[in-house]
Amino acid sequence: MPVLHNSDYQAPFLLQNRHMLTIYPSLFRSIRPAAYRRERITTPDGDFLDLDFSERGSSRLVVILHGLEGNASRKYVLGMVHIFNGAGFDTVSMNFRGCSGEPNKNLRFYHSGETEDLHAVIGYLVSLKKYTAIHLVGFSLGGNVTLKYLGERGATVDGTIRSAVAISVPCDLKSGSAELEKRHNIIYMQRFIRDLGEKLRLKALQFPGSINLDHYAEVRSFRQFDDRYTAPMHGFKDALTYWEQCSSRPLLPDIRIPVLVINAKDDPFLGKECYPYEIAAGSKYVFLETPHQGGHVGFVRFGEDFYWSEKRALAFIQQM
């Protein structure tokens, strides 16, 4: 039932190409910074997470999770902060380990299926006894983490968590990784590999002898990167094992709060397995909306303060 077939997003006339929709926001969108108040919390393994709050004195909170190599200052995060603040919600933008401007303490950092840090954040927020309703919004990798967390928790999820929105989600990591290896995505892949390499170099300085960066320039794909670094650093046998165990798609049937998944059909990062139509059709909780256009975290609107995805997320959460 919750497959939403009649999405009303239409790309601007000048941005009909999926790559233009993907790239335009990061290069050309003008958006003011958020008035963040930062808190640092300690994780159970002795590391830390930096949380950026933007508060309106509300009892309703939206937790925002960024994408791969993002952070709380990314434009797509700020757009969500501003639209929800304007509607009277508090927000907190979670920076994954090593993404807040300072390397984290431990050898491992973050990955597409790491949900214990989100659980620690939720536990901290609930302990404040300040919020009667908490909602989650995740982008790309952060969307997969959001959905995986809710699927893992199922009916045991904290009752304060009421709904979630996940945008441009590679819910099948193998499919998404294969799509990004295609020639038309070479610019994105090169950038990801470059940025992740910088993070690894910092780790190598922190932990001499623990990370082998010899021939790193030969790494060309997520499969190579995950086989060589992500999997061994986080306790997985290899890239395939990591992708299988960390994809949110198999856990979607276990979600027990309303969630909206927005994946554009022209998203250059997503393979066909990232569109879980059959799961959504058989679920009371997973709503799937697949606009024909939107690119990856695109959904640009000209002449308006907010993008379509931001208005859609707000409308869904308000409805819930």
Side-chain angles (χ1 to χ4, degrees):
M1 173 63 179
V3 177
L4 307 178
H5 293 286
N6 298 313
S7 182
D8 63 356
Y9 176 69
Q10 291 186 335
F13 176 75
L14 297 176
L15 292 179
Q16 296 293 306
N17 180 277
R18 59 181 175 168
H19 297 293
M20 293 177 68
L21 281 166
T22 300
I23 294 169
Y24 178 90
S26 62
L27 293 181
F28 301 111
R29 186 180 189 183
S30 177
I31 192 165
R32 69 186 187 279
Y36 281 142
R37 177 182 63 82
R38 175 161 289 187
E39 284 192 32
R40 175 167 290 186
I41 66 171
T42 301
T43 59
D45 62 348
D47 215 321
F48 67 88
L49 293 168
D50 285 329
L51 308 179
D52 289 325
F53 286 84
S54 183
E55 294 153 317
R56 292 295 180 269
S58 177
S59 62
R60 301 175 299 168
L61 177 72
V62 176
V63 183
I64 303 172
L65 291 80
H66 61 77
L68 180 65
E69 288 304 278
N71 55 57
S73 66
R74 289 297 173 91
K75 294 177 182 179
Y76 58 84
V77 173
L78 295 176
M80 282 296 175
V81 170
H82 291 317
I83 198 168
F84 277 101
N85 282 169
F89 290 78
D90 284 7
T91 67
V92 58
S93 301
M94 174 184 172
N95 296 280
F96 292 124
R97 297 191 188 208
C99 294
S100 63
E102 180 181 338
N104 63 300
K105 295 180 180 180
N106 295 343
L107 176 61
R108 77 172 188 88
F109 40 106
Y110 72 102
H111 60 75
S112 295
E114 211 304 300
T115 56
E116 288 306 310
D117 283 352
L118 176 57
H119 186 57
V121 169
I122 296 297
Y124 171 70
L125 296 171
V126 170
S127 76
L128 297 176
K129 300 187 184 302
K130 179 180 178 181
Y131 297 107
T132 58
I134 296 175
H135 308 269
L136 310 179
V137 174
F139 294 92
S140 195
L141 177 148
N144 188 71
V145 171
T146 298
L147 296 176
K148 182 171 179 281
Y149 174 75
L150 294 175
E152 290 170 343
R153 299 290 160 177
T156 69
V157 71
D158 192 280
T160 314
I161 303 177
R162 303 298 178 82
S163 70
V165 177
I167 299 168
S168 301
V169 189
C171 57
D172 185 287
L173 296 174
K174 180 180 178 181
S175 172
S177 296
E179 196 68 25
L180 273 164
E181 287 185 26
K182 294 182 178 179
R183 186 175 181 84
H184 66 84
N185 284 324
I186 189 170
I187 295 176
Y188 310 119
M189 181 59 72
Q190 287 177 339
R191 180 180 176 183
F192 285 137
I193 296 300
R194 181 198 68 204
D195 291 350
L196 289 166
E198 289 301 315
K199 190 154 289 181
L200 285 175
R201 276 182 267 279
L202 291 174
K203 283 290 177 190
L205 294 174
Q206 276 183 284
F207 299 92
S210 297
I211 298 174
N212 182 2
L213 291 173
D214 293 345
H215 308 295
Y216 185 79
E218 298 174 4
V219 175
R220 294 284 188 272
S221 68
F222 278 148
R223 180 156 192 158
Q224 292 172 320
F225 182 90
D226 290 340
D227 263 333
R228 189 169 178 179
Y229 300 106
T230 309
M233 287 177 69
H234 299 95
F236 301 100
K237 178 184 175 182
D238 52 26
L240 280 175
T241 305
Y242 160 56
W243 296 339
E244 289 171 1
Q245 294 184 12
C246 291
S247 293
S248 61
R249 181 183 171 115
L251 295 167
L252 295 180
D254 299 321
I255 291 175
R256 289 298 178 269
I257 65 166
V259 301
L260 173 63
V261 179
I262 301 173
N263 281 356
K265 292 180 180 178
D266 68 347
D267 192 319
F269 292 14
L270 305 184
K272 65 178 181 178
E273 289 80 7
C274 295
Y275 300 88
Y277 289 107
E278 291 184 4
I279 295 174
S283 173
K284 294 192 299 183
Y285 301 98
V286 179
F287 295 78
L288 176 62
E289 187 163 354
T290 56
H292 288 284
Q293 298 171 301
H296 190 74
V297 193
F299 306 105
V300 179
R301 278 274 173 84
F302 289 155
E304 300 181 20
D305 291 336
F306 298 108
Y307 281 8
W308 176 86
S309 49
E310 293 153 5
K311 292 182 176 181
R312 188 70 185 90
L314 174 63
F316 182 82
I317 286 175
Q318 285 181 322
Q319 180 185 358
M320 294 302 110

